[in-house]
Amino acid sequence: MSKTEVVVYENPDLLAAAAAARLVTRIVDVQAAKGSASVVLTGGGTGIAILRELRDSSARDAIDWSRLDLYWGDERFVPADSDDRNEKQAREALLDHVPLDPKRVHAMAPSDGEFGDDVDNAAAAYADVLAANDAAFDIMLLGLGGEGHTASIFPDSPAVHEKERSVVAVRDCPKPPPTRISLTLPAIRRAQDIWLVTGGDAKADAVAQALAGAGEVEIPVAGARGSRRTLWLLDRGSASKLTKVYQPPTG
Ligand SMILES: O=C(O)[C@H](O)[C@@H](O)[C@H](O)[C@H](O)COP(=O)(O)O
């Protein structure tokens, strides 16, 4: 039975810095144990802030970047050079600053790539990438929205009801841009460790509902459970509706 843990940091900046430090340690441990590691990145402000902190960390090169497989939990289906692209933001924040093996960076297709504007085909192709790499994710970073979405899986949406496919196209997404590609909850639950990373008061209700056992159709992030561990990394704002959590000493 996997375990769920909650750690609360004083503020969003400390949350991002501490999550980056945790990422170094966990990746190094996984690489020591099995020679490589696979990490699923997330879009959103917290997810990208963590990558920037990792770029600036003095410990970052303890990671063997050549033996790191990177995937995305979701992507905005926009042109490759759009600032809305999670991949572009991740490259600017970290990926272009470290010696990754380009063959091990698995980005979801842009809307001006090999599949053109066929988002269904692009999503199916990413499912093939996961299958071809037998992607069993060691660490998956996930953000969440105030209404409980995670990746691009929104409450009571076609994506949240998907039980078979690992990757789907998302249309009319409530969070712009409207067209996206997203892992589904069955694919998300193939991760060993899932880290839910979010700060701010606006997320407090969704965090509290998910941790209180809400259903995944209403609160999709409630369905994001790692097979080994589910770790909620919060700040005081996003944890403000919780009753019992570990709170690191302040000051
Ligand atoms: O592509 C995306 O938009 C994300 O994957 C999305 O799931 C994001 O992580 C949350 O909406 C949180 O975003 P913030 O951290 O910016 O609130």
Side-chain angles (χ1 to χ4, degrees), residues 42-46 74 76 86 143-145 149-152 175 180 203:
T42 179
T46 304
D74 72 335
R76 293 85 178 276
N86 290 334
L144 60 127
H149 82 258
T150 193
S152 291
K175 177 181 180 182
R180 292 154 169 251
K203 312 298 177 71

Side-chain angles (χ1 to χ4, degrees), residues 189-213:
R189 288 195 278 261
R190 287 209 292 269
Q192 294 267 323
D193 289 12
I194 289 181
W195 297 4
L196 298 154
V197 294
T198 196
D201 295 326
K203 312 298 177 71
D205 284 328
V207 169
Q209 288 169 337
L211 284 168

Side-chain angles (χ1 to χ4, degrees), residues 18 115 234:
F115 305 103
L234 308 173

Side-chain angles (χ1 to χ4, degrees), residues 68-235:
L68 185 64
D69 288 298
L70 292 179
Y71 299 87
W72 274 263
D74 72 335
E75 184 58 276
R76 293 85 178 276
F77 195 62
V78 293
D81 65 355
S82 166
D83 288 340
D84 279 337
R85 283 277 295 176
N86 290 334
E87 178 200 4
K88 184 170 188 279
Q89 292 179 32
R91 288 190 178 280
E92 290 166 355
L94 173 66
L95 278 50
D96 289 349
H97 303 270
V98 289
L100 290 158
D101 177 351
K103 296 190 300 300
R104 301 181 80 153
V105 178
H106 307 283
M108 293 174 167
S111 63
D112 58 352
E114 62 181 302
F115 305 103
D117 63 359
D118 186 338
V119 62
D120 293 295
N121 213 354
Y126 202 72
D128 292 344
V129 168
L130 299 186
N133 291 276
D134 191 21
F137 313 120
D138 294 304
I139 306 151
M140 178 179 289
L141 301 177
L142 286 172
L144 60 127
E147 82 298 285
H149 82 258
T150 193
S152 291
I153 307 171
F154 280 74
D156 203 15
S157 64
V160 81
H161 293 286
E162 179 62 47
K163 300 292 183 225
E164 303 301 325
R165 291 176 292 168
S166 60
V167 187
V168 292
V170 173
R171 293 177 172 83
D172 305 321
C173 186
K175 177 181 180 182
T179 308
R180 292 154 169 251
I181 298 170
S182 182
L183 265 56
T184 58
L185 286 175
I188 284 170
R189 288 195 278 261
R190 287 209 292 269
Q192 294 267 323
D193 289 12
I194 289 181
W195 297 4
L196 298 154
V197 294
T198 196
D201 295 326
K203 312 298 177 71
D205 284 328
V207 169
Q209 288 169 337
L211 284 168
E216 64 190 35
V217 173
E218 295 78 24
I219 304 286
V221 72
R225 294 184 298 274
S227 59
R228 189 183 82 102
R229 189 187 196 199
T230 305
L231 178 61
W232 293 76
L233 300 179
L234 308 173
D235 71 358

Side-chain angles (χ1 to χ4, degrees), residues 21-98:
R22 283 176 176 270
L23 208 44
V24 173
T25 302
R26 185 65 192 145
I27 291 171
V28 168
D29 286 353
V30 171
Q31 290 183 330
K34 50 188 269 196
S36 67
S38 63
V39 176
V40 182
L41 303 180
T42 179
T46 304
I48 298 301
I50 291 169
L51 301 185
R52 276 196 295 271
E53 289 287 348
L54 185 48
R55 179 193 64 205
D56 297 341
S57 164
S58 58
R60 82 176 198 202
D61 292 333
I63 293 171
D64 181 347
W65 295 103
S66 71
R67 293 177 182 273
L68 185 64
D69 288 298
L70 292 179
Y71 299 87
W72 274 263
D74 72 335
E75 184 58 276
R76 293 85 178 276
F77 195 62
V78 293
D81 65 355
S82 166
D83 288 340
D84 279 337
R85 283 277 295 176
N86 290 334
E87 178 200 4
K88 184 170 188 279
Q89 292 179 32
R91 288 190 178 280
E92 290 166 355
L94 173 66
L95 278 50
D96 289 349
H97 303 270
V98 289

